[in-house]
Amino acid sequence: IDMSSTATETPSTMKAVVIKELGGPECLKLVHNHPTPQLRPGHAIIQNQYAGLNFIDTYFRKGLYKAALPFVPGQEGGGTILAISSDDNRDSTFQVGDVVVYGTLGAYAQYTLVPVTQLVKVPQNVSLDIAVSCYTQGLTAHYLTTSVHCGMLQTNDWCLIYSVGSGTCQWAAQMAKIQGYKVIGTCSQSKAAAVKQVGACDELIVLKEVEGMSYSDYGSVDIVGKVMDITNQKGVKCILDGVGKSTVDISL
């Protein structure tokens, strides 16, 4: 989402998406005169250019994750430091005008108050839209493919990654391949062509979609049988499962 504005100092009000009651997407309301956050110690005000859309945003909207009403949703954003608290401004790490990304609540707005500890500078050779789009999902995929398996997964070992046509696991499949793992991926029929174009999976298990829905039917294919055939009955050293309920028994 492009959240850019042209202000050179913090205005008193801003445009923001505000949630005043919990529920479905209809609870997302665009407000044109929402109070702009006030600068506090240890924080910076970011003039947003982009906000990221992530599945966790729906958890806050529905109330599964708690936030005091009313609130501005969005857990990922990026833009320019418009103001920074005086103590933190003496730290050369961040200065007014720096281009940054962050992960903290309140990104669906023109301005967001962000703890300085949550800021990450964007390298000059990376565009801001790319930096924002890869921040949450990219970092998640990185630790999933480098840390979670605690070194049990080594070069040329097989791993299984569900839902490689979507979000974090699309990143994870590519990172796993770069690190030398052999990747078995799953995806729905509608995403198979895009997954094959990326080329991160050594083997791809294509699943039918649940009737009338856009997500995979994990009972439509014998995933266990296919994985065992691919690995010569050895199975895999690591499974990255962002699905859960439909896949836990298959994984075990």
Side-chain angles (χ1 to χ4, degrees), residues 3-9 45-49 78-82 110-112:
M3 300 296 292
S4 59
S5 66
T6 58
T8 57
E9 58 183 40
I45 292 178
I46 309 304
Q47 183 175 340
N48 291 317
Q49 186 173 348
T80 303
I81 296 178
L82 188 64
Q110 289 180 299
Y111 305 93
T112 304

Side-chain angles (χ1 to χ4, degrees), residues 211-238:
E211 187 175 354
M213 301 295 180
S214 60
Y215 50 83
S216 298
D217 178 358
Y218 287 91
S220 64
V221 174
D222 179 8
I223 296 176
V224 174
K226 285 188 173 293
V227 168
M228 297 307 285
D229 287 344
I230 292 167
T231 62
N232 293 320
Q233 307 304 310
K234 294 180 180 179
V236 296
K237 290 286 188 69
C238 176

Side-chain angles (χ1 to χ4, degrees), residues 87-197:
D87 289 342
D88 296 290
N89 200 31
R90 287 196 288 269
D91 180 354
S92 60
T93 302
F94 296 105
Q95 301 291 335
V96 170
D98 285 346
V99 178
V100 295
V101 294
Y102 61 86
T104 191
L105 193 64
Y108 289 11
Q110 289 180 299
Y111 305 93
T112 304
L113 182 68
V114 181
V116 171
T117 55
Q118 295 290 320
L119 298 175
V120 177
K121 278 188 181 181
V122 177
Q124 291 186 348
N125 63 341
V126 178
S127 64
L128 184 56
D129 57 340
I130 296 296
V132 173
S133 66
C134 76
Y135 184 65
T136 298
Q137 295 181 4
L139 287 178
T140 303
H142 184 268
Y143 84 73
L144 287 174
T145 54
T146 59
S147 304
V148 167
H149 53 75
C150 300
M152 290 187 291
L153 192 61
Q154 300 294 323
T155 302
N156 290 321
D157 283 341
W158 283 104
C159 63
L160 171 64
I161 305 177
Y162 293 109
S163 195
V164 293
S166 302
T168 299
C169 287
Q170 188 178 63
W171 287 95
Q174 296 173 75
M175 292 182 185
K177 188 65 177 174
I178 289 170
Q179 292 176 76
Y181 311 143
K182 292 192 285 189
V183 179
I184 302 171
T186 76
C187 73
S188 62
Q189 290 175 331
S190 62
K191 296 181 178 179
V195 171
K196 291 176 181 178
Q197 186 175 12

